[in-house]
Amino acid sequence: MAKVNVQPEGQTNGDQMTQFTEVAWKKSATYSFDVKQDHFYLLNQGNEVVEVKVGGQTRTIDPGESWGEELEYNSFSVKALTDDDDTGAQFHTIATVYGIPGLDRIKGLQDDLNNANK
């Protein structure tokens, strides 16, 4: 299982987005996150159909197509649906954590942030 080591990009609403591009092969690869994710998006940029398993769901995504959905997960698996071991499909994925992770654990921080935007 590969650990995702891409630094998340902060958004103005407090969401944290982690995005990267990789190649899916015939053999499934699993990518994991240290923090629970709230939204998943995958764009199939290759020429092969890919299968993704995430948050208890399994989806097949045709070349040039994408899929995204709100769901909770810490990892996802992806593979190219091909008979050729040497043929892969490039994909781009975006994982999103809503709000600021751990914000609820620091008493008064959300109020301070809300007041700063007034």
Side-chain angles (χ1 to χ4, degrees), residues 43-56:
L43 168 63
N44 182 351
Q45 298 173 313
N47 295 320
E48 302 292 332
V49 175
V50 297
E51 178 184 270
V52 62
K53 294 182 179 186
V54 59

Side-chain angles (χ1 to χ4, degrees), residues 7 18 23 33 39 49 54 63 65 68-69 75 78 89-90 94 102 105 108 112 115:
Q7 289 296 318
T18 303
V23 175
F33 299 87
H39 190 277
V49 175
V54 59
E65 298 293 317
E69 189 167 325
S75 65
V78 63
Q90 182 171 299
I94 302 173
R105 289 183 257 150
D112 292 342
N115 290 334

Side-chain angles (χ1 to χ4, degrees), residues 46-76:
N47 295 320
E48 302 292 332
V49 175
V50 297
E51 178 184 270
V52 62
K53 294 182 179 186
V54 59
Q57 297 195 33
T58 301
R59 299 287 174 120
T60 55
I61 304 167
D62 291 327
E65 298 293 317
S66 64
W67 171 66
E69 189 167 325
E70 285 188 22
L71 41 84
E72 293 183 359
Y73 63 99
N74 283 79
S75 65
F76 71 95

Side-chain angles (χ1 to χ4, degrees), residues 74-86:
N74 283 79
S75 65
F76 71 95
S77 299
V78 63
K79 68 180 178 179
L81 298 180
T82 177
D83 292 329
D84 186 353
D85 290 338
D86 297 324

